[in-house]
Amino acid sequence: MKALLIGEYRQGKLLDTTYELKAFADRLGADSVMLLVGSDSELPKYDGKLYLADAAKYGEYNPDQHKQLVLQAVEKENPDCIVFVHSSYGWDLAPRVAVALKAGQVSEIVALNEGAYEVNACNAKLRRTVTPKSGRCVLTIQAGAFTPSGEPQGTPQPERLELSGTASAIEFVGYEAAEQKGVDLSKAEVIVSAGRGVGKKDNVPVIAALASALGGELGASRPVVDAGWVDHSHQVGTTGQTVSPKLYVACGISGAIQHLAGMKKADFIVAINKDKDAPIGEIADVLVVADVMQFVPAFTAKCAR
C-alpha cells in the first residue's frame, strides 16, 4: 500500500501536524511520499520523496491550484490513499480531490481497526468503523489522533512540481484572525479544566476555585460546554482552544482525542480521575486516582495557605 501525504504550511512555517500524517501511514503499514506547497527553507524532517511546490507562486492555499498539484502527484505515484489532516485546509481540499478522482472519502479518522478506519459519530459519543468501497480513497485524520512516537528525523528527497497553463482566478490574500471573545486560554500559564466527571453545573465553581488558587484560568472539556455548564470560550480541544500552559490540571476529564489534541503541549499535566485506566493517564505526568469533588477542595485549601 502507498500513501500520498499532504503536508501543511501556514504563515511561512511547516505545521507540526504534518508529522502526524507520517505516523498514520506507519500505523497503516503503508509506504509514503509527501506533497508540500511550501518553501525550501521549511522542509519536513522526512526520509522519502517530497513533491515540493512553491507557496510564493501558488499561495499557501488556493483550492484550484492545490487540487491540481495533488492530482499531478497522484498521477506520478498512483497511491492507494491520499491523506490530509482534518483541518480547514484538509476538509476543504480533500473532497475536491475525491470528486476529481471519483474516489471514496473518509473524514476525521481517529483510529485504525484491523485496516479499517474508525470515525466519530453522534457528536463523538460513539465510533463507527468504515471501509471505502473504492479502490483508491481520500482520507482526513483528526489532529492529535496519530502522534509520532519520537522526534521527527530524516532528510527528504525534493522533486519540484509546477503547473502549466493559465493562472487561477483565485488569489490567496492572507489570514484574518477570528475575533477573540471571552477568556484567551492560549496565553494562560496555568489552566484547570472541568470535565464531565465533576458531576453537575453546581460543582464547576469548585474547579474554578482551584484555578484561582493556582493563579490560573478555568478550562473545560466539550461535554461540559455542550451541557451548558461553562461558556464555550473556556473550551479546550480541537473544537475549542489549543493551549500550551506550564501547568494543566484536568479534573474529571477522561481524555478524548479531541481534548488531548488541544492540551498535549502543556509542560506538566496533572489528571484527577477516579478511573485509573482513563486515557488521560497515558499522557499525564501525575495521575491522581480520586473522586474529583473530594480531592479538589482539599487540594485548593492546601494551595490557598
Side-chain angles (χ1 to χ4, degrees):
M1 175 179 278
K2 180 186 287 187
L4 173 62
L5 313 178
I6 313 302
E8 290 196 36
Y9 180 87
R10 187 178 303 162
Q11 294 180 301
K13 298 292 183 181
L14 177 76
L15 299 191
D16 288 343
T17 51
T18 299
Y19 296 113
E20 297 179 21
L21 297 167
K22 179 61 167 61
F24 172 78
D26 289 345
R27 294 183 200 180
L28 192 60
D31 296 326
S32 67
V33 295
M34 188 176 289
L35 165 65
L36 178 68
V37 184
S39 166
D40 287 312
S41 63
E42 279 284 326
L43 297 182
K45 296 176 182 178
Y46 169 76
D47 274 328
K49 183 182 291 185
L50 172 69
Y51 289 103
L52 181 65
D54 188 0
K57 182 175 183 180
Y58 299 112
E60 291 191 5
Y61 187 52
N62 181 307
D64 289 344
Q65 293 185 325
H66 285 215
K67 181 186 77 172
Q68 293 303 322
L69 290 166
V70 173
L71 295 178
Q72 191 177 127
V74 168
E75 184 176 357
K76 289 175 176 288
E77 293 295 331
N78 192 31
D80 299 286
C81 57
I82 300 95
V83 190
F84 298 81
V85 174
H86 194 73
S87 61
S88 55
Y89 181 95
W91 68 57
D92 186 78
L93 188 55
R96 299 172 189 268
V97 172
V99 170
L101 295 173
K102 297 181 179 179
Q105 180 179 334
V106 181
S107 296
E108 202 169 4
I109 297 167
V110 298
L112 293 171
N113 186 353
E114 297 182 354
Y117 308 114
E118 284 192 11
V119 298
N120 286 327
C122 299
N123 201 22
K125 293 178 174 63
L126 299 174
R127 286 187 183 182
R128 57 193 177 97
T129 301
V130 297
T131 304
K133 289 185 176 180
S134 59
R136 174 182 287 154
C137 57
V138 177
L139 311 172
T140 68
I141 62 170
Q142 187 181 85
F146 299 92
T147 54
S149 57
E151 285 295 318
Q153 295 182 347
T155 303
Q157 304 157 22
E159 181 175 322
R160 291 283 181 182
L161 277 188
E162 297 284 349
L163 294 178
S164 58
T166 59
S168 171
I170 298 172
E171 179 186 359
F172 175 77
V173 176
Y175 303 95
E176 182 175 337
E179 181 183 353
Q180 186 66 48
K181 297 180 180 179
V183 63
D184 184 2
L185 296 178
S186 65
K187 297 178 181 178
E189 293 191 349
V190 177
I191 297 173
V192 180
S193 283
R196 186 160 34 197
V198 304
K200 57 185 178 179
K201 183 176 182 178
D202 291 345
N203 290 337
V204 172
V206 175
I207 310 303
L210 176 58
S212 178
L214 293 172
E217 298 284 356
L218 174 68
S221 65
R222 179 170 178 171
V224 169
V225 172
D226 287 348
W229 299 356
V230 175
D231 184 77
H232 180 268
S233 63
H234 292 268
Q235 183 176 327
V236 175
T238 54
T239 53
Q241 299 188 50
T242 299
V243 300
S244 53
K246 292 181 179 179
L247 173 63
Y248 190 86
V249 183
C251 303
I253 296 174
S254 62
I257 291 169
Q258 299 96 319
H259 189 80
L260 299 184
M263 45 69 72
K264 64 182 180 180
K265 292 185 179 179
D267 290 345
F268 196 85
I269 299 170
V270 176
I272 306 166
N273 202 297
K274 63 182 179 182
D275 180 6
K276 63 180 178 61
D277 297 318
I280 199 165
E282 297 179 6
I283 68 163
D285 296 284
V286 174
L287 173 62
V288 180
V289 181
D291 185 299
V292 170
M293 298 315 299
Q294 292 180 358
F295 180 84
V296 170
F299 186 34
T300 303
K302 288 287 187 181
C303 293
R305 290 179 179 176

